[in-house]
Amino acid sequence: MSYATLTFWIFLIISLAGLSLSPARLRGIWLTIVSLWFYASVDPMRLAWLGGVTGLTLWAAGIWHPPYARAVRSTAIALLVMLLIWAKFSDAMGLPDPKAPPGLSFLVFTAIALIVETARRGTAWSVPESVLHLVWFPKILAGPIERPGDLIAQFPAIGIRPGLMGLGVAFIVTGLVKKLVIANALAPVVDAAYAIPSFATPVDLLVATYAFAFQIYCDFSGYADLALGLSALVGLRLSRNFAQPYLSPTVTEFWAERWHITLGRWFRDYVYIPLGGSRRGRPRQMANLMLVFLLSGIWHAGLGYGVGWGFLIWGVLNGALVIAELWVPRPKGRLAHILRTVLTFHLILVTWVFFRAETPSDAVTILMRISAILSDLPRILPTYPFTPDQRFGAVLVAMLLVLEILNQPRPLAERIAQAPLPLRWAGLYIGMAALLLFGRWQDAEFIYAGF
């Protein structure tokens, strides 16, 4: 069910109306029902996947009697990982396509976290609480990857609360603007240049590379804003997944604290730290960091991308940058901070080329063609015939950056929700006007729902 359709907004109204009429003890069950409705509306077979992952998770999280509990949890986690590998790499391994539903990897990550955190807690959460934690619809397609201790603790307070309604609406509006106005406006700029890099001009490739950095940011963070907003409407606060990532002064901070934050914490807590983290010397720390980024690259591969060598190279490059920063001190002073932020952005930008290009060979072609004209850019750019899409995209990106700089470290939606009433309504009206005038509603599929 697409967020850009009338069907979804009717579904949301019905969901909120049902919630407001439900007694407090049944509100969680109602949200579980509407979540299953949302997920199965496109293909009822998705319920089979959901039921399999949920059943396996509940089984593993409910076994406490030694000596079987540890073996059961390990077996369940191994089965979940194998299921994910099959779903993502069936074509590369010559196996039948299991027709995995969108968002499967986010569901599996959440399930593994639930199994591990249940073991650490010492007692299981109830079945209704665990099921709602897994299937809550705003986050099921692309996160955030919530921890049960954070989300389930809020379930007793589920309900429509005026204090959170305003915040929810603000997040929904900013999320839709990021996706439908900015990301969808940048998509044709990227697609046109990256389709056949050898035929595109170097300037078009350069513009497309910058455009993709903001396309994927607005696409992914737009979904995260929608998830936060829809959850706030029913009294739930999801974890923040993005924090002005392109204003990060280091690559390490970019991945640890600003971009897809909940996935970074998942890898930190369930892979990096169990492997020893930084406690076993620098060589072991470097190996652990590289493994985490390699796994992140593998996670993006598959699902029709084949082996996905570009994603693996992207992961290795980012791992190498984070490892290199172990010997580089953080910038001190405002000028150093600004210069390092610009450098960090462009290092990330280079790695995005391997993420977006069809093949590693295309990525190398793009980087070589761009590098060949860098020295001539001051002469070329003033007279270059930029397309209307490129000019409009540049204006949108500039406005986004200004807003992010002015509002950091808070999200824009929080600033709008906490503003005086006239400014709050002005912000919402500007966002809705942007959606009506510039929104491209025909393409509402989110990039990360495919992972």
Side-chain angles (χ1 to χ4, degrees), residues 404-426:
E404 297 234 314
I405 291 171
L406 293 177
N407 286 293
Q408 65 170 332
R410 292 191 299 171
L412 175 61
E414 283 190 5
R415 179 64 65 90
I416 293 174
Q418 295 170 2
L421 195 59
L423 292 178
R424 190 186 316 164
W425 279 107

Side-chain angles (χ1 to χ4, degrees), residues 4-88:
T5 62
L6 180 62
T7 304
F8 171 77
W9 297 103
I10 294 174
F11 156 81
L12 182 62
I13 292 171
I14 294 173
S15 301
L16 295 176
L19 182 69
S20 66
L21 296 173
S22 300
R25 69 179 187 284
L26 297 180
R27 289 173 183 167
I29 294 175
W30 172 252
L31 293 187
T32 301
I33 292 171
V34 299
S35 295
L36 297 177
W37 175 17
F38 172 86
Y39 200 55
S41 61
V42 176
D43 180 7
M45 281 304 295
R46 292 180 180 180
L47 292 181
W49 284 88
L50 207 55
V53 172
T54 302
L56 185 60
T57 304
L58 294 177
W59 170 65
I63 301 293
W64 290 102
H65 304 296
Y68 305 110
R70 187 181 183 89
V72 167
R73 288 194 294 270
S74 300
T75 302
I77 291 173
L79 289 173
L80 288 169
V81 172
M82 290 170 62
L83 181 69
L84 189 57
I85 292 173
W86 177 34
K88 293 178 74 68

Side-chain angles (χ1 to χ4, degrees), residues 288-301:
N288 292 340
L289 285 169
M290 184 54 75
L291 178 61
V292 165
F293 280 95
L294 186 58
L295 289 175
S296 180
I298 293 172
W299 170 58
H300 287 84

Side-chain angles (χ1 to χ4, degrees), residues 136-219:
W136 175 228
F137 81 86
K139 67 177 183 59
I140 197 168
L141 294 179
I145 303 169
E146 292 292 334
R147 303 297 176 86
D150 297 332
L151 185 58
I152 293 178
Q154 302 178 52
F155 287 171
I158 286 175
I160 298 175
R161 288 185 274 164
L164 282 180
M165 287 292 287
L167 179 64
V169 171
F171 266 119
I172 290 171
V173 171
T174 58
L176 289 174
V177 170
K178 283 181 179 177
K179 167 60 181 171
L180 300 176
V181 176
I182 304 178
N184 285 2
L186 296 173
V189 175
V190 179
D191 294 344
Y194 271 57
I196 307 178
S198 300
F199 290 176
T201 69
V203 173
D204 284 347
L205 291 172
L206 178 63
V207 172
T209 299
Y210 279 104
F212 178 68
F214 290 95
Q215 179 201 355
I216 194 169
Y217 168 51
C218 289
D219 190 290

